[in-house]
């Protein structure tokens, strides 16, 4: 059996693994780059929470909100008068705009790697293989929405569920992974 035949027998396993790796790498880059800044932004909120006997919000959860912000997904938090408001730290200027390239870069590379691994030799096939990183990415995007939820008493801060799954989990990997795969397919043409 040729190497190309072996690669094409389980293409979705490689796609799911690449999608999971892209999500985890994107979160890791965001954490390493912004964790200290996020801790600083949480300092006042955490002081108030702890003063009233509550638990501080851990930086790793708030970095998750920022990671979703890099996908144009807002997180919601309660307001003093009741209700909630959507917030994006990057769009509001509280975090670097360059964070928007973190998920794009990770997904582009993942899509290109999957298409190359599958032996794509044209842009259409490459795009199809590249977009398939959605399989793993959407799973972690859904898990992340719940994992990055912080509940303190009656108040909850969390990435928006609908856009967290649809925009971050489906649209981003399908489009960006597909573009990466298409380019890999062009480069794979003989």
């Amino acid at each position: 059996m040729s190497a190309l035949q072996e690669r094409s027998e389980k293409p979705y396993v490689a796609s799911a693994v690449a999608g999971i790796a892209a999500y985890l790498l994107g979160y890791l880059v965001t954490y390493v780059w912004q964790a200290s800044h996020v801790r600083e932004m949480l300092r006042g909120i955490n002081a108030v929470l702890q003063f009233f006997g509550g638990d501080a919000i851990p930086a790793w959860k708030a970095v998750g909100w920022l990671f979703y912000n890099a996908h144009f997904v807002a997180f919601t938090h309660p307001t003093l008068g009741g209700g909630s408001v959507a917030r994006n730290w990057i769009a509001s200027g509280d975090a670097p705009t360059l964070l928007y390239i973190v998920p794009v870069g990770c997904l582009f590379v993942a899509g290109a790697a999957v298409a190359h691994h599958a032996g794509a030799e044209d842009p259409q096939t490459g795009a199809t293989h590249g977009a398939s990183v959605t399989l793993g990415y959407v799973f972690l995007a859904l898990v992340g929405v719940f994992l990055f939820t912080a509940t303190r008493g009656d108040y909850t801060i969390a990435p928006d569920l609908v856009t967290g799954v649809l925009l971050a989990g489906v649209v981003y990997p399908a489009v960006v992974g597909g573009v990466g795969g298409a380019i890999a397919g062009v480069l794979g043409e003989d």
Side-chain angles (χ1 to χ4, degrees):
M1 182 181 286
S2 76
L4 184 56
Q5 287 173 324
E6 286 180 25
R7 286 187 282 188
S8 65
E9 285 191 14
K10 295 184 181 176
Y12 299 110
V13 172
S15 299
V17 169
I20 289 169
Y23 183 95
L24 293 174
L25 180 62
Y27 174 79
L28 180 63
V29 168
T30 305
Y31 184 86
V32 168
W33 184 10
Q34 293 295 308
S36 62
H37 178 65
V38 167
R39 280 187 200 95
E40 188 63 34
M41 290 193 306
L42 290 175
R43 183 172 295 192
I45 295 167
N46 282 339
V48 171
L49 286 170
Q50 290 174 325
F51 179 78
F52 289 108
D55 294 327
I57 297 170
W60 67 268
K61 283 193 184 233
V63 169
W65 309 336
L66 187 57
F67 181 58
Y68 278 82
N69 287 171
H71 295 82
F72 293 94
V73 174
F75 63 93
T76 57
H77 64 86
T79 60
L80 291 177
S84 64
V85 64
R87 186 106 191 262
N88 183 324
W89 281 334
I90 302 170
S92 67
D94 293 324
T97 305
L98 283 176
L99 281 166
Y100 286 127
I101 67 169
V102 172
V104 171
C106 292
L107 285 164
F108 181 88
V109 169
V114 167
H116 175 74
H117 177 76
E121 296 180 348
D122 62 79
Q124 294 81 11
T125 304
T128 301
H129 285 291
S132 68
V133 299
T134 303
L135 296 171
Y137 209 85
V138 70
F139 172 72
L140 285 186
L142 175 62
V143 169
V145 167
F146 295 102
L147 188 66
F148 299 132
T149 296
T151 302
R152 302 295 183 263
D154 294 334
Y155 300 106
T156 299
I157 305 171
D160 182 72
L161 176 62
V162 174
T163 56
V165 174
L166 294 179
L167 184 58
V170 176
V171 174
Y172 255 75
V175 172
V176 179
V179 170
I183 291 173
V186 168
L187 297 175
E189 291 178 330
D190 291 330

